[in-house]
Structure formats: structure tokens, C-alpha cells
Amino acid sequence: MNSNITVERQSIARSAVSTRQKKIIYAGTFDPPHWGHFKSPLFIKREIGADELIYVPFSEHEVKQWQASSFFYRARMLQVYLYTLDIPSMKLCLEEGFREGVNYTVDIIKDVVGQDKEEDVEWYFLVGEDKLFLLDIMRDFEHILELISGFLVMCCPTCGRGKGYWENNFPPYLNEGNCILFDNPECPHISSKDIRQTLHHGRYDDEEVKTLLHPDVLQCIENHDLYYYRKML
């Protein structure tokens, strides 16, 4: 297991400057979830000294309204990773799976924040750099900015544009006050879309896919033909 994940199991010292808790909401389709969905956020969680990292799978994404596998399977696959990592500060919220219709980011944030019992919390919303130019098309984007302390952006200097590019090219609706950029050393060189395309052709023994997927998740995908094109026709 990655050494950074082992370190995460140890207690994280909070900042001496602020006693406010910091919590990160990480929402996505996770279709399928892979190790990059955990190593990268854990890196950022350590960087800001966050107390919790909350995973929220979309049932139906407001921007990408088609998912290759059902909410049930995606939620189960996320549970496999979180059970394996066994880090209490990493949590899973499944409320959106019971919401009818499209899951809007603003509603997800309101639900997660509203259910939390802590009063003095800095909330952050985690996204990848590929989502930076999509943020302002989210419903009630201005209200989202009021609900959170800022966006945390995972930048990949090898397969994306990287932190240096975005520091000089912030979208007009973002700035250094509401967006924190991170060059991510844990960034995988493959996406869920790439994994789906590989599995689409039944290539379950692909070495890169086997490296990025939990063995039990890969077995689940194969057993249920989740992304195999003949079963999707």
C-alpha cells in the first residue's frame, strides 16, 4: 500500500493558528472509482490539515447526466476502497442516491453541511483541473461560493496543465481567495474514462487497469460485466 496512505492513518496535527475544523467534500460519478480518487485527495487533505474527507457519489450528475454503471455498483465499489484504507476521517455519504432526478452540486453541499453537527467548520469542495471551466455552469454557482471557504483543485503537471498555468489563467469567476491549487504528485496518468474504454473491450487483464483498480472492484466489474460493450448494447 502507498506509504502516504499509511502516514494518513497517523493523527494529523492541527494548525496552531486556527482551531476551526476543515472538511472536504469530494463529489463525483466515480465510474469506476480507482486509486487516484483516493491518493490524490489524501495528499490535499494532508496539505491543508483537513479533519474529514467526505465522498459523495452522484446518482445523476448535473453536467454529465449519463453514467455507465448504476449508483448501486459505484457506491459499493467506493465502499471497498474505504474499507481497505480504514481511515476514520474518510467518509462516504450516499444520500444523493435517494434523490430523484439530477444531483445538483449546490444541493449536495447544502445536504452535507446541513447534516454535520459541528458548527465552526471551514468547508471545501474538491475538483480536478479539468472541471475549472465548468464550475460556473453549476446551478446557483454564486450560492456555492457562499457555502464553502473555497475550491481545492487537483492539478496534474504531467497529464494536465498544472498549477503554474492556472495561477496565471484563473477563470474570471475564480481567484486566489476562493480557489487553492495543488500540483498533485499522486496524479494517475489514466482516468475513469480510459479505464471504461479498456474494460469496454473485455480487457480485464490490462496491467495499467489492474494497477489502478482494487482487485475486488475489478472482480466485481468482471462478474457483472459493468463496462463490457456486449452487455451494454
Side-chain angles (χ1 to χ4, degrees), residues 149 151 166-168 170 174-181:
S149 296
F151 290 97
W166 293 110
E167 284 178 334
N168 297 308
F170 266 112
L174 294 176
N175 55 61
E176 293 182 359
N178 59 24
C179 182
I180 307 174
L181 304 169

Side-chain angles (χ1 to χ4, degrees), residues 13-61:
R14 290 187 187 158
S15 168
V17 178
S18 174
T19 58
R20 298 185 70 189
Q21 286 203 353
K22 296 178 181 178
K23 299 187 180 184
I24 302 171
I25 300 171
Y26 184 22
T29 54
F30 305 109
D31 196 19
H34 55 73
W35 284 117
H37 288 129
F38 301 90
K39 293 179 181 179
S40 301
L42 278 173
F43 165 75
I44 292 177
K45 180 179 181 294
R46 287 191 300 272
E47 286 292 294
I48 71 167
D51 297 270
E52 287 185 10
L53 172 59
I54 304 168
Y55 285 79
V56 186
F58 283 98
S59 176
E60 187 175 339
H61 198 288

Side-chain angles (χ1 to χ4, degrees), residues 31-123:
D31 196 19
H34 55 73
W35 284 117
H37 288 129
F38 301 90
K39 293 179 181 179
S40 301
L42 278 173
F43 165 75
I44 292 177
K45 180 179 181 294
R46 287 191 300 272
E47 286 292 294
I48 71 167
D51 297 270
E52 287 185 10
L53 172 59
I54 304 168
Y55 285 79
V56 186
F58 283 98
S59 176
E60 187 175 339
H61 198 288
E62 66 177 299
V63 176
K64 184 170 55 177
Q65 296 182 13
W66 178 85
Q67 280 74 58
S69 61
S70 71
F71 178 86
F72 170 80
Y73 282 118
R74 289 182 285 116
R76 290 292 293 166
M77 289 188 282
L78 281 169
Q79 288 175 322
V80 169
Y81 287 97
L82 293 175
Y83 178 80
T84 299
L85 292 172
D86 191 24
I87 300 174
S89 60
M90 296 175 67
K91 300 182 178 181
L92 180 61
C93 175
L94 300 178
E95 296 298 321
E96 301 312 307
F98 302 98
R99 184 189 295 276
E100 293 185 4
V102 176
N103 297 149
Y104 292 100
T105 301
V106 65
D107 294 328
I108 287 176
I109 295 174
K110 286 192 293 187
D111 287 348
V112 174
V113 172
Q115 292 172 16
D116 194 85
K117 296 181 180 179
E118 299 289 340
E119 294 183 357
D120 195 20
V121 177
E122 293 178 18
W123 288 96

